[in-house]
Amino acid sequence: MPGGADTLRESLTGDVLTPADHEYEKARLCFNLLVDRRPAVIARCVDAGDVATALAFAQSEGLEIAVRGGGHNPAGHCAVDDGLVIDLTRMRNVEVDPEARVARSQGGTTWLDFDAATQQHGLVTPGGVVGSTGVTGLTLGGGIGHLTAQHGLTCDNLIGAEVVTPAGEVVRAGEDGDPELLWGMRGGGGNFGVVTRAEYRLHPVKRIVGGRFDYEGEAVRDALRAFRDADAEAGEEISLQCQLSSKENLTPTLVVTPCYTGPNSDTEELRALRAAPGLVNDGVREQTFLDQQLIFDPGYGVDRNYWKGHFVTGLPDELIDILVDSLAALGRPAGAILIESLRGGPKDVDPASAALGYREAAFNISVMADWTDPALDEESIAWARSTAAAIEPWSVSGGYANYMQADEPLERVRAAFGRDNFARLRALKSRYDPDNVLRRNQNIPPAQT
Ligand SMILES: Cc1cc2nc3c(=O)[nH]c(=O)nc-3n(C[C@H](O)[C@H](O)[C@H](O)COP(=O)(O)OP(=O)(O)OC[C@H]3O[C@@H](n4cnc5c(N)ncnc54)[C@H](O)[C@@H]3O)c2cc1C
């Protein structure tokens, strides 16, 4: 592409980075250090026109395209060796219409940007639990977080979008545009175009009862049972998720993060979790929703990660024992196991309104190997794979596209939608991206290939 970057630079309102630019090294970095790629050019777009220009430039130069929002995807889909990155990190504006209870966010917005803007009006949409994650990227795969029980998946609250197709056309997804495209974007990932603006339904939420309960030691098994039982009994005013891990000396630990939005701060579920064995820290109290969104704040681009998991029908005692025992399998802390409840909101929605197919599941369980030394790559990846394999007997609806690595076979991607929805997604893909230009994602091949 000799000299090509200069041509792009001239036609873009945003800026263009190549390996010669000092900001390049930071801009190419993925959340997951296991993925280390060197794009030929990074186009930092500022509007839909820039995105169309970058798409056209990449195709005319024969460059493979990656799309970058928050850079969090564990598969590292936001970076491509020798290709072009459509970087949306300069497109992070959020407009809130408090009367209509609608937010419009640009394609590179993060949850920190989004929540800060909507909370000024005491409003919220259910999102992810880490502030630096991209809003659009998370939405396109579903979206599970602190308000899932109350308000459903993030994609259930997506009501419209402006999308730039690989052909450079600006189209509208939604009831006032293409409803089929909106259906596909609810779970089908970044397969159909680059989303430059997305619109979300908002809900009133300001103060919540949340924070974290920390448990330690062998009693963690019983604490996890208490979490499961509390979740089974809970209503839709409380969302629950938890994370198993271990200390340096391999003592198991559990963090439970409730988020309660009802009027009674002393609920039965919170009492049960407070009384569960192994509690070493009770950090659950009334706080702002913005404080709740700061519970988890991992560093960006500091660890190597390999994630694999399953949606499951339940959390029987046998599975709990398998999960807790797996924490010590490597003789060193191996990472974490995230358990997210899908009770409530996701099940209140008409399943036909979205492409994704995992609403029936009780929980999403993700094994998250996490390490820093490249020499540990092989055994860490093997740990995530073997622990996920042990969960498989309870699996339903495949795995969560948002947490998948790039090595997932097509069957697993298909299973996340079901056969009929996958065929419908392939038909949609062939309408919007017949040449599979946007393939750096959990890919849906166009129908004719
Ligand atoms: C620390 C961490 C915490 C997380 N927490 C949660 C959570 O609480 N809940 C949850 O459900 N998921 C969570 N995730 C998973 C996350 O939702 C997905 O990995 C998602 O793909 C990240 O989006 P991104 O924009 O940050 O990532 P990127 O790597 O920038 O983008 C991933 C892919 O999404 C697509 N994409 C992104 N933006 C656009 C756009 N504007 N238009 C078209 N396509 C686009 C592209 O295909 C892109 O390659 C978390 C991930 C991490 C690493």
Side-chain angles (χ1 to χ4, degrees):
M1 193 204 39
D6 289 336
T7 315
L8 181 63
R9 223 169 242 135
E10 278 159 26
S11 42
L12 219 66
T13 309
D15 58 326
V16 170
L17 300 176
T18 64
D21 292 295
H22 79 277
E23 286 181 74
Y24 172 87
E25 287 302 327
K26 194 168 169 225
R28 74 177 183 87
L29 198 65
C30 301
F31 173 86
N32 184 2
L33 267 198
L34 190 61
V35 181
D36 180 16
R37 300 199 183 116
R38 303 190 68 80
V41 52
I42 300 174
R44 293 202 295 199
C45 301
V46 295
D47 56 23
D50 270 4
V51 170
T53 302
L55 281 164
F57 174 82
Q59 289 173 83
S60 70
E61 296 281 329
L63 297 172
E64 202 175 338
I65 296 170
V67 178
R68 180 195 195 88
H72 270 223
N73 197 280
H77 287 313
C78 68
V80 51
D81 275 330
D82 305 319
L84 179 142
V85 175
I86 296 185
D87 180 320
L88 304 169
T89 54
R90 291 183 61 185
M91 294 177 62
R92 291 168 50 186
N93 186 45
V94 184
E95 285 168 23
V96 182
D97 181 342
E99 304 301 316
R101 289 194 177 162
V102 168
R104 292 178 188 84
S105 64
Q106 284 187 298
T109 302
T110 66
W111 285 106
L112 203 58
D113 306 323
F114 190 95
D115 293 331
T118 59
Q119 278 291 281
Q120 280 185 26
H121 305 276
L123 297 168
V124 76
T125 215
V129 303
V130 171
S132 50
T133 309
V135 170
T136 317
L138 178 139
T139 306
L140 293 170
I144 308 170
H146 289 310
L147 293 168
T148 302
Q150 290 92 333
H151 302 299
L153 302 168
T154 310
C155 71
D156 296 333
N157 293 273
L158 177 72
I159 52 176
E162 174 188 86
V163 180
V164 183
T165 70
E169 231 184 306
V170 180
V171 298
R172 176 143 180 93
E175 287 311 317
D176 53 349
D178 183 354
E180 182 73 358
L181 181 55
L182 180 63
W183 172 85
M185 287 169 60
R186 290 181 174 151
N191 271 286
F192 313 108
V194 180
V195 181
T196 42
R197 183 168 278 103
E199 290 169 24
Y200 296 88
R201 192 180 302 119
L202 299 174
H203 311 269
V205 169
K206 206 155 193 184
R207 295 194 73 77
I208 54 107
V209 176
R212 54 190 279 172
F213 291 121
D214 288 83
Y215 307 84
E216 243 181 65
E218 267 309 304
V220 151
R221 288 170 209 271
D222 292 326
L224 190 49
R225 288 182 183 105
F227 163 86
R228 171 198 64 197
D229 296 342
D231 191 70
E233 296 299 317
E236 294 193 6
E237 287 176 329
I238 187 166
S239 287
L240 289 167
Q241 54 175 261
C242 70
Q243 204 164 306
L244 273 170
S245 189
S246 63
K247 296 170 77 166
E248 254 338 286
N249 65 5
L250 297 182
T251 304
T253 63
L254 177 72
V255 181
V256 175
T257 56
C259 182
Y260 173 75
T261 52
N264 168 18
S265 59
D266 185 28
T267 71
E268 212 171 294
E269 299 84 21
L270 293 177
R271 278 203 301 274
L273 288 166
R274 227 166 229 132
L279 184 73
V280 290
N281 174 48
D282 176 354
V284 172
R285 57 180 181 270
E286 195 181 318
Q287 61 184 18
T288 65
F289 181 71
L290 289 178
D291 285 334
Q292 181 74 4
Q293 288 291 73
L294 296 175
I295 296 175
F296 299 110
D297 193 13
Y300 186 97
V302 288
D303 287 348
R304 304 166 87 77
N305 286 266
Y306 187 94
W307 298 0
K308 196 168 178 76
H310 295 279
F311 290 106
V312 295
T313 48
L315 259 182
D317 287 351
E318 190 189 346
L319 178 54
I320 287 178
D321 286 337
I322 288 173
L323 297 179
V324 176
D325 291 343
S326 77
L327 297 170
L330 291 185
R332 61 169 172 88
I337 300 175
L338 174 68
I339 304 175
E340 297 165 302
S341 168
L342 292 176
R343 171 183 43 78
K347 297 178 171 47
D348 295 341
V349 173
D350 175 6
S353 64
L356 53 81
Y358 47 79
R359 290 184 193 281
E360 293 313 306
F363 298 99
N364 179 42
I365 306 185
S366 287
V367 183
M368 299 166 149
D370 170 352
W371 68 104
T372 51
D373 182 355
L376 300 177
D377 285 0
E378 209 174 302
E379 71 168 38
S380 300
I381 292 169
W383 174 76
R385 287 185 179 149
S386 62
T387 308
I391 302 170
E392 212 169 338
W394 292 274
S395 140
V396 63
S397 317
Y400 185 29
N402 268 349
Y403 296 162
M404 283 182 181
Q405 302 294 143
D407 58 3
E408 293 285 0
L410 189 64
E411 300 79 66
R412 279 261 293 173
V413 181
R414 184 187 290 122
F417 301 102
R419 211 187 51 190
D420 292 349
N421 280 5
F422 195 70
R424 197 170 147 189
L425 283 168
R426 291 190 65 182
L428 188 66
K429 174 81 173 176
S430 49
R431 267 177 61 209
Y432 283 103
D433 186 16
D435 298 325
N436 209 2
V437 170
L438 298 173
R439 56 182 176 275
R440 297 234 144 224
N441 42 40
Q442 291 308 338
N443 196 235
I444 294 163
Q448 74 271 25
T449 58

